[in-house]
Amino acid sequence: MTAHDARLVGAYELPYRHAPDKSLAQMQAEAALGAVADAGLSLKDVDGFFCGGDTPGMGPMSLIEYLNITPRYVDSTETGGNSYVSHVARAARAIDAGLCDVALITLAGKPRTPAKGSRPMTDSNKPDQDFELTYHPTVPANYALAAQRHMYEYGTTSEQLAWIKVAASHHAQHNPHALLKDVVTVEDVVNSPMVASPLHRFDCCVITDGGGALILAKSEIAKRLNRPSVKILGTGEAVKHQGAGDIDLTWTAGKWAAEKAWKMSGCTPDQIQYASIYDSFTITVLLEIEDLGFCKPGHGGGFVAEGNLISGKGKLPFNTDGGGLCSNHPGNRGGMTKVIEAVRQLRGEAHPAVQVPDCALALAHGTGGSLGTRHGASTLILARED
């Protein structure tokens, strides 16, 4: 079963994690050129362009000019870090509708140049700031709220959360580009400095420069390319907010997004062989695992503590590139790299030490915004083209 005619035919991740001498436009162009080359195409073939709201310049227009492309269709959907997962679904729909034949999705960011720590979430245009700014919210603090609530409701422990970082580090050791390559233990995580209780430093993702790009093409074109392609079986998107006070921090918008993706694909969680799961913090992964249906609500802690996320050992190998917790979180937006690693797994191109044998079915899931306030979620069910 295939929900879309479009195929994922190209993927490329920028290899560096610190780019002080490069502009965002240069990085976007490098990623774009890498992805079209991976697909066996060129920028001249691109007639659809997709980007997030963080693209430098005047929306997509400046980068379109910089790349010297003339797309028939553009989309600058912005829902935070999951935008690029959503773009895959939107590009597939655009190709199916005949709006374009070859779609390019790009991301580049430089939060590490110069280095920036956590800061108050301020923006003069945000309608919520008058109500929240007085409490000086930061990104880690907002995620810590969700972690505290899950611990209160279900007895989840810091040691259980630590297993998510442990799994990511086991994978990152095999990635030559990962920012953090050292394998860590549960003790290392819980003994690292507290950032926002109950989240420790090792519960938090890395901050890196970097980026990546994806290429989708209609199946007729994909068949002509001398590259393995990936089918898109199911997609889902959702947004969750505070509901005028109706707040439950123990689940995410991923619950709604996943329901749509599972229904469209006809697949079930037990069929997934590999999962790319957004890992801005360890609690993000724990909640998503439950919301995506891999275990029941409240059972995520026990699930990860059994080592189920470690490739070659567990039931659900995840983020085999090291993910945002250890490898790369370009522009503080990790959805792009989640799709890229899922494509690698389905093509059999992940590192041999973490490659899932005969990987035919994978999931990629992104989250954007803040779990403690308002956020978006996007889910993809992907399959290897036989």
Side-chain angles (χ1 to χ4, degrees):
M1 178 179 179
T2 303
H4 296 286
D5 174 71
R7 300 291 193 268
L8 272 161
V9 296
Y12 181 78
E13 179 186 355
L14 295 176
Y16 43 79
R17 304 296 182 254
H18 190 207
D21 300 324
K22 295 179 182 287
S23 70
L24 284 175
Q26 283 178 296
M27 294 164 66
Q28 294 263 7
E30 285 183 33
L33 289 169
V36 294
D38 180 65
L41 297 166
S42 73
L43 284 179
K44 293 181 180 179
D45 298 303
V46 172
D47 62 351
F49 181 69
F50 296 74
C51 64
D54 59 324
T55 301
M58 187 179 296
M61 291 182 287
S62 296
L63 196 58
I64 287 170
E65 180 179 22
Y66 189 84
L67 296 173
N68 194 26
I69 58 177
T70 54
R72 294 189 286 139
Y73 186 81
V74 297
D75 185 315
S76 55
T77 293
E78 175 54 53
T79 51
N82 69 305
S83 299
Y84 314 92
V85 183
S86 291
H87 289 156
V88 173
R90 292 163 187 264
R93 291 196 292 269
I95 291 172
D96 290 351
L99 300 174
C100 60
D101 294 333
V102 176
L104 166 65
I105 307 168
T106 66
L107 159 72
K110 297 181 60 175
R112 198 177 172 203
T113 307
K116 296 179 181 179
S118 181
R119 61 192 185 281
M121 300 168 65
T122 61
D123 184 333
S124 60
N125 293 319
K126 288 183 177 179
D128 47 81
Q129 77 161 9
D130 289 342
F131 303 94
E132 298 174 4
L133 187 58
T134 185
Y135 299 103
H136 303 287
T138 63
V139 174
N142 272 319
Y143 280 78
L145 289 173
Q148 288 279 21
R149 192 64 194 181
H150 202 273
M151 289 178 168
Y152 176 81
E153 292 286 350
Y154 298 115
T156 305
T157 67
S158 291
E159 288 74 15
Q160 290 174 330
L161 286 177
W163 272 100
I164 298 168
K165 174 73 169 191
V166 170
S169 73
H170 272 272
H171 301 154
Q173 67 177 316
H174 304 294
N175 182 354
H177 304 303
L179 185 68
L180 305 178
K181 299 183 181 67
D182 293 338
V183 176
V184 301
T185 66
V186 169
E187 290 72 23
D188 291 332
V189 179
V190 297
N191 289 329
S192 62
M194 188 70 73
V195 174
S197 181
L199 300 178
H200 301 80
R201 178 185 294 168
F202 285 179
D203 286 300
C204 307
C205 67
V206 298
I207 296 176
T208 68
D209 300 345
L214 297 162
I215 297 289
L216 283 80
K218 62 181 183 180
S219 61
E220 178 184 342
I221 294 174
K223 291 175 183 177
R224 299 199 302 262
L225 302 174
N226 189 28
R227 295 290 289 138
S229 61
V230 172
K231 297 183 289 187
I232 303 162
L233 302 186
T235 68
E237 301 175 34
V239 172
K240 179 173 181 261
H241 50 72
Q242 298 179 83
D246 184 14
I247 305 170
D248 185 344
L249 297 177
T250 63
W251 59 277
T252 75
K255 179 179 179 181
W256 294 331
E259 287 173 354
K260 299 172 185 177
W262 293 127
K263 183 177 180 180
M264 182 185 295
S265 70
C267 300
T268 56
D270 62 302
Q271 294 177 286
I272 296 297
Q273 297 167 275
Y274 166 78
S276 281
I277 300 177
Y278 204 102
D279 54 345
S280 48
F281 298 87
T282 52
I283 185 59
T284 314
V285 178
L286 190 75
L287 294 180
E288 289 168 330
I289 286 172
E290 295 178 356
D291 295 339
L292 291 166
F294 292 114
C295 61
K296 296 179 180 178
H299 290 232
F303 182 86
V304 299
E306 292 174 0
N308 278 315
L309 301 183
I310 302 175
S311 184
K313 175 182 178 180
K315 299 176 182 177
L316 186 69
F318 102 122
N319 296 7
T320 44
D321 60 342
L325 287 170
C326 293
S327 176
N328 194 13
H329 194 212
N332 296 325
R333 291 165 171 255
M336 172 66 74
T337 52
K338 298 300 169 283
V339 181
I340 290 173
E341 185 66 6
V343 169
R344 290 189 189 119
Q345 280 286 348
L346 291 168
R347 287 176 163 182
E349 297 172 354
H351 191 284
V354 296
Q355 174 67 51
V356 175
D358 195 31
C359 186
L361 197 62
L363 174 146
H365 180 77
T367 300
S370 171
L371 298 189
T373 52
R374 56 204 63 83
H375 64 277
S378 305
T379 305
L380 300 174
I381 311 298
L382 306 172
R384 183 181 64 212
E385 183 84 83
D386 295 324

